[in-house]
Amino acid sequence: MKEILRWPAAELAQKINRREIKAKEAVSAYLEQLYALEPELNSFVTVDEEGAYAQAGRIDELTQSGKNAGPLAGVPVAVKDNLCTRGLRTTCASRMLEDFVPFYEAGAVERLRAAGAIILGKTNMDEFAMGSTSETSAFGPVKNPWDISRVPGGSSGGSCCAVAAAQSLCALGSDTGGSIRQPASYCGVVGLKPTYGTVSRWGLVAYASSLDQIGPIARNVEDCALLLEVISGGDKRDSTCLDRRDVDFGRAFARTSASPQTSPQTSSQASLQACPEDVRGLRIGIVRDYFDEGLDGEVAAAVRRAAQQLRDQGALVEEVDLSLVSYAIPAYYTIACAEASSNLARFDGVKYGYRAGAEKGLHPMYRRTRTEGFGTEVKRRIVLGSFVLSSGYYEAYYEKALRVKAMIVAAFDKAFSRFDLLLGPVAPTTAPLLGQTGDDPLKMYLGDIYTVSVNLAGLPAISLPCGLDSRGLPIGVQLVGPRFGEKTILQAARAYEKACGGFALSPMTERAEKKGGMKV
Amino acid sequence: MAQEISDKMIDELEILAKLDLSGEERERVRKDLGQMLDYIGRMNELDTEGVEPLYHVMPAVNVFREDEETGSSIREEILAGAPEAVDGCFRVPRTVE
């Protein structure tokens, strides 16, 4: 792999701001890697080579005139294809939006561009973010860069795959029930789902609005923190977006600028803020009920080793029962599908997107358009959502799920009265083979068991690589924090990363270099 | 205990979901929906007596803004993405006979 592809985001941006290299060189190196691996991986729906070079040109002009081009100057970012990008096709990996070109930009993408980042393209995903394997895409499945006979996870599979294969330095994903954390785990990268309301959802094509949250995907914790800082903050266009002031995640964790002046949020963190990589005294609860039946033995062992690693560094690690675990998926799918059926009502063949031809009458056109435009999994969820919201079933299913959600939130509150963070697996297994899950939706849904409750409770959580199984596939460990606990999560994550000596990219990145070498 | 999905229920869902559920699709929906309802029905094992439904995890307050016009007209840009437009409007198939 080329040297330039190895630099972390902060370092790359610094070199570009100091005019040691040009943004155009970074773009060309990443595009070369992207194109070399894309035939095998299919991680992108659209590559925006022209736009990327144009943005790089603007960055280079700024730096040439002596200006600072921002904290992400020239940093290539891949954006999940459910985030609107002005003038750049946004498909949600659906036939319904195959030719949809937004005339406005998502809030998170605006912030990225303002920070100097370069959007390389739009990443493949499960259709409308509904799936856990990235196989429900209308543009073909994404492959796992660690083993291309396997899935990368989903729904942000393209984003995680692109980062793991160094097709991009960082990426944005969205997480409704684990859609950042689970593919991050399968692909061996760092993925963070922020506290609900931290990142504006303006321009994110809605799946389940009360659960959706955009988050960063990166190779290491520091890049993840830097990206999170850039995309966080208030936005009047999303009424659920909070005007958080404590979003200096990147600055707080940059090794060079670690400063003890940051005001602590809670007393238990007071001593820790001074040294961001220190976990001494941090109270971490291992969620015992996540280690019950269904969890693969190798995954369990790796996650327990990660906990031990944090204990060795001075964290106070104890077991905790979260309870209600087996009710999280029923409540999640009820709420998520209900919201999806409502949100996806907008796709009717009138205002944008696909329209079925030759239908006489408005209602037959609506039905035909939606029947032809949506894939099987999307229709499955719309039907379930329509059912649980329908008269006569609303109380029994939808309201019941909201009561279960209240109990899950209370269970987390109780756990966080004793612990600063919770630790557990991200997914029950490592990446499954392609084509294994499609016919059995329930089996796919059960894979979300350790991630969905975090969305129901609106909490922040990170997925970190914690080793490989005997087949050489990445395993992920999840750290969950209380609301607004991103800094504590990042601090523990940094400490763990440091103790591991950093995380490796997929072996495929080295193979690409050999290929490139042969060409010369 | 499998939940029976009757033809009448599927007919109603077709209207609510605005989907054609005919032929093969109909049988798939019957099977999938039945299976999912059985599964999510396990929520009934939990006693939620006295627990209020939680709509928002964040303390929810309505967010108001002034009703002021901002930006410029985006009519042209919006219509450019429409499947069919005519005279500055969306065009749809005939709605009344």
Side-chain angles (χ1 to χ4, degrees):
Chain A
M1 201 164 83
K2 280 187 175 167
E3 182 62 22
I4 191 169
L5 299 181
R6 295 186 193 281
W7 297 329
E11 193 178 335
L12 178 64
Q14 194 178 58
K15 285 185 196 296
I16 288 171
N17 274 321
R18 287 179 180 167
R19 283 176 285 171
E20 289 168 29
I21 62 151
K22 288 191 167 176
K24 275 187 178 164
E25 293 172 66
V27 168
S28 111
Y30 273 97
L31 282 176
E32 190 185 324
Q33 174 88 353
L34 189 161
Y35 287 130
L37 299 180
E38 190 56 12
E40 284 177 273
L41 296 175
N42 197 31
S43 44
F44 284 80
V45 174
T46 307
V47 179
D48 186 20
E49 184 169 340
E50 204 186 306
Y53 277 118
Q55 169 82 344
R58 284 190 290 274
I59 300 295
D60 288 333
E61 264 174 45
L62 274 177
T63 57
Q64 288 306 314
S65 63
K67 293 195 181 89
N68 186 300
L72 292 178
V75 172
V77 182
V79 174
K80 189 176 181 180
D81 210 17
N82 59 350
L83 282 154
C84 285
T85 40
R86 189 182 173 90
L88 181 61
R89 184 169 81 128
T90 299
T91 68
C92 289
S94 179
R95 193 174 171 209
M96 185 64 89
L97 292 176
E98 195 170 353
D99 302 311
F100 174 59
V101 179
F103 61 89
Y104 70 105
E105 197 103 271
V109 177
E110 271 178 359
R111 285 177 180 272
L112 277 184
R113 287 198 196 275
I118 290 167
I119 312 301
L120 288 184
K122 308 296 292 291
T123 55
N124 205 349
M125 54 187 276
D126 282 297
E127 185 181 2
F128 283 103
M130 298 179 191
S132 311
T133 63
S134 297
E135 290 175 295
T136 71
S137 167
F139 300 97
V142 185
K143 315 291 170 53
N144 190 311
W146 292 76
D147 176 350
I148 57 169
S149 67
R150 292 176 185 274
V151 303
S155 66
S156 308
S159 285
C160 291
C161 173
V163 172
Q167 290 182 299
S168 181
L169 181 47
C170 315
L172 290 189
S174 68
D175 191 316
T176 305
S179 280
I180 288 174
R181 290 160 286 154
Q182 184 255 30
S185 161
Y186 284 2
C187 292
V189 295
V190 180
L192 188 144
K193 180 240 168 242
T195 304
Y196 185 77
T198 300
V199 181
S200 166
R201 291 182 296 108
W202 170 259
L204 170 69
V205 180
Y207 161 18
S209 311
S210 77
L211 308 169
D212 296 341
Q213 193 60 195
I214 298 163
I217 296 156
R219 290 175 195 175
N220 60 58
V221 177
E222 205 175 310
D223 284 3
C224 189
L226 177 61
L227 209 61
L228 180 63
E229 172 168 338
V230 166
I231 61 174
S232 299
D235 186 346
K236 287 197 165 50
R237 299 165 299 182
D238 169 9
S239 64
T240 64
C241 186
L242 305 162
D243 197 11
R244 276 181 78 171
R245 300 296 157 91
D246 60 334
V247 295
D248 55 335
F249 307 113
R251 268 164 290 175
F253 291 90
R255 270 160 290 187
T256 44
S257 60
S259 130
Q261 292 154 8
T262 336
S263 63
Q265 286 177 299
T266 67
S267 55
S268 72
Q269 293 171 2
S271 61
L272 303 164
Q273 289 282 350
C275 184
E277 293 166 13
D278 194 349
V279 290
R280 275 174 298 174
L282 198 70
R283 299 166 304 167
I284 300 177
I286 302 181
V287 184
R288 180 164 34 209
D289 21 19
Y290 283 179
F291 290 81
D292 288 345
E293 57 170 329
L295 180 63
D296 176 85
E298 289 189 71
V299 174
V303 172
R304 288 201 181 276
R305 274 197 301 276
Q308 185 58 43
Q309 182 80 263
L310 287 164
R311 188 183 277 131
D312 291 346
Q313 290 170 75
L316 307 170
V317 183
E318 278 176 54
E319 300 216 328
V320 59
D321 276 320
L322 198 54
S323 80
L324 300 169
V325 173
S326 62
Y327 303 105
I329 294 177
Y332 169 78
Y333 276 94
T334 305
I335 294 168
C337 293
E339 293 186 27
S341 73
S342 168
N343 274 326
L344 271 63
R346 72 191 58 168
F347 300 103
D348 58 3
V350 173
K351 302 176 290 296
Y352 39 72
Y354 177 74
R355 174 189 285 192
E359 282 297 340
K360 290 204 180 73
L362 187 62
H363 282 269
M365 186 280 284
Y366 286 156
R367 279 202 197 181
R368 213 59 254 147
T369 294
R370 293 165 60 79
T371 303
E372 290 172 10
F374 291 135
T376 304
E377 183 59 30
V378 172
K379 284 189 262 194
R380 194 179 270 144
R381 294 191 195 196
I382 290 175
V383 166
L384 179 65
S386 302
F387 182 86
V388 300
L389 288 177
S390 64
S391 167
Y393 298 99
Y394 181 91
E395 288 82 8
Y397 289 101
Y398 183 62
E399 260 194 16
K400 180 76 182 184
L402 293 177
R403 290 179 211 275
V404 175
K405 173 183 166 183
M407 291 173 76
I408 290 172
V409 169
F412 272 116
D413 285 348
K414 192 174 154 214
F416 284 120
S417 68
R418 283 179 57 206
F419 296 98
D420 299 305
L421 293 176
L422 298 176
L423 180 149
V426 181
T429 64
T430 51
L433 291 164
L434 285 154
Q436 262 194 344
T437 22
D439 285 341
D440 188 353
L442 200 53
K443 187 177 162 192
M444 177 166 78
Y445 302 163
L446 289 172
D448 301 336
I449 187 156
Y450 313 130
T451 49
V452 292
S453 45
V454 163
N455 298 76
L456 289 172
L459 304 172
I462 200 168
S463 170
L464 297 168
C466 68
L468 303 176
D469 71 3
S470 49
R471 298 190 203 95
L473 300 171
I475 302 170
V477 58
Q478 180 173 215
L479 295 172
V480 182
R483 266 177 242 162
F484 312 121
E486 281 87 349
K487 284 186 182 173
T488 314
I489 290 176
L490 289 164
Q491 167 187 330
R494 264 295 289 158
Y496 176 70
E497 179 183 44
K498 203 178 168 197
C500 299
F503 308 133
L505 287 171
S506 74
M508 197 178 204
T509 55
E510 298 307 325
R511 199 153 55 74
E513 180 182 38
K514 280 180 203 141
K515 261 192 200 165
M518 282 192 295
K519 254 191 277 170
V520 178
Chain B
M1 203 168 41
Q3 170 105 29
E4 274 305 313
I5 310 296
S6 66
D7 277 319
K8 188 166 164 275
M9 281 162 90
I10 298 183
D11 290 344
E12 281 171 11
L13 284 172
E14 274 191 308
I15 296 167
L16 288 171
K18 295 217 173 354
L19 291 169
D20 281 333
L21 304 172
S22 52
E24 240 176 73
E25 196 113 33
R26 198 170 186 86
E27 290 321 302
R28 184 160 60 202
V29 162
R30 201 190 302 277
K31 182 176 148 273
D32 288 349
L33 187 61
Q35 193 190 15
M36 270 314 279
L37 292 179
D38 278 351
Y39 179 66
I40 64 176
R42 82 163 50 171
M43 289 189 295
N44 291 319
E45 296 166 8
L46 262 186
D47 181 5
T48 51
E49 189 68 42
V51 180
E52 285 299 310
L54 182 67
Y55 288 87
H56 297 284
V57 281
M58 295 296 166
V61 278
N62 221 342
V63 179
F64 294 102
R65 60 171 167 76
E66 292 307 312
D67 186 17
E68 284 167 356
E69 196 180 317
T70 55
S72 51
S73 169
I74 49 173
R75 177 186 286 252
E76 295 303 316
E77 287 167 295
I78 288 175
L79 289 171
E84 249 190 286
V86 63
D87 299 336
C89 299
F90 296 115
R91 185 181 187 136
V92 295
R94 181 185 289 274
T95 53
V96 283
E97 292 299 328

